[in-house]
């Protein structure tokens, strides 16, 4: 899998031309389609050779029903064969769904990801996981399949709502914490109110390198790749708790607060530097939605943690840090420490 950062229009045009004889099928986020399809059709000469399938980018679109609709569309169009190409243009909903549909159609045909959200650029479009939700469970059905190419074009970020920018940014901070101090400092320096595509692309490239490396050394997520789960054990429990209270959180907000909680555990268990915990805590308080919790909520949050699918032998599983860049996967924490972390953070 190659990631292409420059000459977006030329690269997309060339890829479409290369596959045109066997059919090129574009699955695109409906919002991106309405914002940019005219411009893309205008500037990419080969665009008109493609069939286009717009998808509403909501979590409920990541379903087997949507995959079936895509498979039917590929069949009905008549031209899709095993050598056809599917191009997924959108955020993680589209890259997960489109990647899944492509990797299963005729036992797998090639696909290209064109991520249009910050989160998809640094995370969802990279690393080879595709999937749909099933029986109320996230990403329950899916495949490991690498895109043929990923085309990164930060121009897409200019229309992305600020809340979605902050969602992706939480994952960028995570890469800083699990890799090194200088990347973490560079990430804190990105001006989110006034995104400068040249500045952010440097950090995005570093983040992608980390994800590619972890996906290469531990494709099936049993060991080092679990570094990417840093912040996510608390995050998933907070997301589930807030959804049950009918005050849903965005994933990025949950990850931001989840990282603060897991840094607290890292301080307790491994002597992680307290000043880095404080820096993140202030940053998250200033920039992400506050979650109003009281001690009476902790049992429910803990209950959600005990059902996390990352747990091993019913023990709640965390990725913790000894220092910035020194991660320890498959760690546990006592119930007392988990409650103490919640009390400190909220
Ligand atoms: N496969 C993986 O490894 C992986 C990793 C992380 C997340 N995910 C998945 O990614 C999904 C979340 O993806 P996401 O956060 O990228 O967002 P998304 O696909 O849900 O899109 C978020 C919103 O942004 C809009 N949007 C997208 N691009 C835009 C643009 N350029 N301008 C304006 N609006 C735009 C969409 O229409 C939507 O309203 C989740 O389903 C999650 O499970 C997958």
């Amino acid at each position: 899998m190659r990631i292409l950062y420059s000459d977006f229009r030329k690269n997309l045009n060339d890829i479409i031309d290369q596959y045109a004889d066997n059919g090129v099928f574009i699955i695109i986020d409906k919002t991106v389609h309405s914002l940019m399809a005219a411009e893309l059709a205008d500037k990419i000469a080969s665009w008109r050779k493609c069939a286009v399938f717009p998808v509403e980018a909501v979590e409920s679109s990541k379903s087997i029903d949507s995959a079936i609709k895509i498979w039917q569309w590929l069949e009905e169009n008549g031209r899709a064969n095993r050598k056809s190409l599917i191009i997924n243009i959108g955020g993680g909903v589209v890259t997960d769904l489109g990647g899944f549909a492509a990797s299963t159609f005729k036992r797998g045909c090639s696909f290209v990801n064109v991520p249009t959200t910050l989160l998809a650029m640094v995370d969802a479009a990279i690393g080879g996981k595709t999937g749909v939700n099933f029986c109320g469970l996230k990403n329950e059905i899916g495949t490991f399949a690498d895109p043929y190419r990923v085309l990164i074009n930060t121009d897409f970020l200019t229309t992305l709502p600020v809340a979605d920018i902050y969602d992706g940014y939480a994952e960028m901070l995570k890469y800083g914490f699990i890799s090194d101090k200088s990347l973490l400092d560079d990430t804190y320096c990105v001006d989110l109110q006034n995104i400068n595509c040249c500045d952010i692309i440097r950090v995005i490239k570093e983040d992608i390198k980390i994800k590619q490396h972890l996906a290469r050394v531990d494709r099936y997520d049993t060991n080092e790749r679990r570094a990417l789960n840093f912040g996510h054990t608390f995050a998933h429990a907070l997301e589930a708790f807030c959804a049950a209270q009918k005050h849903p959180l965005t994933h990025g907000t949950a990850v931001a607060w989840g990282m603060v909680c897991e840094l607290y555990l890292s301080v307790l268990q491994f002597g992680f530097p307290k000043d880095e915990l404080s820096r993140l805590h202030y940053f998250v308080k200033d920039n992400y939605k506050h979650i109003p919790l009281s001690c009476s909520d902790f049992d429910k949050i803990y209950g959600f943690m005990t059902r996390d699918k990352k747990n091993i032998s019913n023990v709640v599983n965390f990725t913790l840090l000894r220092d910035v860049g020194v991660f320890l996967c498959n760690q546990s924490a006592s119930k007392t420490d988990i409650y103490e972390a919640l009390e400190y953070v909220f």
Side-chain angles (χ1 to χ4, degrees), residues 27-33 53-63 66 70 89-94 97:
I27 299 171
I28 187 167
D29 179 319
K30 248 182 203 164
T31 303
V32 176
H33 189 245
F53 187 99
V55 169
E56 199 181 342
V58 288
E59 199 55 35
S60 57
S61 293
K62 265 179 56 175
S63 65
S66 305
I70 291 171
I89 305 180
V93 165
V94 167
L97 170 66

Side-chain angles (χ1 to χ4, degrees), residues 16 44 55 109 111 116 124 132 151 156 208 260 302 323:
I16 295 172
I44 296 167
V55 169
C109 63
F111 65 99
T116 63
V132 294
L151 272 54
F156 284 113
I208 289 176
V260 185
Y302 184 72
D323 201 343

Side-chain angles (χ1 to χ4, degrees), residues 167-310:
D167 263 8
Y169 184 75
E171 299 290 350
M172 295 175 78
L173 282 171
K174 178 191 76 181
Y175 286 112
F177 278 109
I178 64 170
S179 66
D180 67 77
K181 180 98 169 63
S182 95
L183 180 62
L184 182 62
D185 290 344
D186 286 352
T187 309
Y188 273 121
C189 285
V190 172
D191 180 359
L192 294 177
Q193 302 301 330
N194 187 13
I195 291 250
N196 171 330
C197 291
C198 296
D199 281 351
I200 204 167
I201 192 70
R202 272 190 310 113
V203 183
I204 289 173
K205 278 186 185 175
E206 291 305 313
D207 294 346
I208 289 176
K209 267 194 223 159
I210 297 164
K211 175 120 194 212
Q212 280 191 294
H213 168 74
L214 291 169
R216 197 165 37 237
V217 295
D218 179 22
R219 183 166 173 81
Y220 298 109
D221 209 359
T222 54
N223 233 308
E224 293 98 317
R225 189 171 179 159
R226 288 187 165 211
L228 298 168
N229 293 336
F230 167 59
H232 282 62
T233 303
F234 273 92
H236 289 150
L238 291 168
E239 254 179 307
F241 173 79
C242 292
Q245 304 292 305
K246 309 276 178 247
H247 296 296
L249 286 182
T250 67
H251 181 64
T253 301
V255 169
W257 287 105
M259 288 191 294
V260 185
C261 295
E262 290 179 24
L263 281 192
Y264 185 85
L265 291 184
S266 301
V267 171
L268 279 187
Q269 295 196 17
F270 299 108
F272 180 87
K274 281 188 185 145
D275 55 333
E276 286 295 352
L277 164 64
S278 302
R279 174 157 76 150
L280 181 70
H281 199 183
Y282 282 119
F283 183 85
V284 173
K285 274 188 192 158
D286 285 350
N287 291 284
Y288 288 86
K289 184 177 147 184
H290 183 63
I291 309 174
L293 292 184
S294 67
C295 298
S296 59
D297 300 322
F298 294 176
D299 284 344
K300 285 193 187 128
I301 293 169
Y302 184 72
F304 283 114
M305 276 184 193
T306 59
R307 279 171 264 154
D308 193 304
K309 66 181 171 200
K310 296 186 298 295

Side-chain angles (χ1 to χ4, degrees), residues 301-321:
I301 293 169
Y302 184 72
F304 283 114
M305 276 184 193
T306 59
R307 279 171 264 154
D308 193 304
K309 66 181 171 200
K310 296 186 298 295
N311 295 348
I312 301 168
S313 311
N314 293 325
V315 177
V316 184
N317 187 286
F318 295 97
T319 294
L320 300 178
L321 305 180

Side-chain angles (χ1 to χ4, degrees), residues 29-32 35-36 55-59 62 90-96 115-121 123-131 133 138-139 155-161 164 167-168 171 211 225 232 251:
D29 179 319
K30 248 182 203 164
T31 303
V32 176
L35 287 169
M36 286 165 215
V55 169
E56 199 181 342
V58 288
E59 199 55 35
K62 265 179 56 175
V93 165
V94 167
T95 57
D96 273 8
T116 63
T117 63
L118 187 54
L119 181 119
M121 289 179 196
D123 196 357
I126 318 285
K129 285 187 184 175
T130 81
N133 306 325
K138 249 181 95 81
N139 306 322
D155 289 351
F156 284 113
L157 299 179
T158 55
T159 56
L160 192 65
D164 293 290
D167 263 8
E171 299 290 350
K211 175 120 194 212
R225 189 171 179 159
H232 282 62
H251 181 64

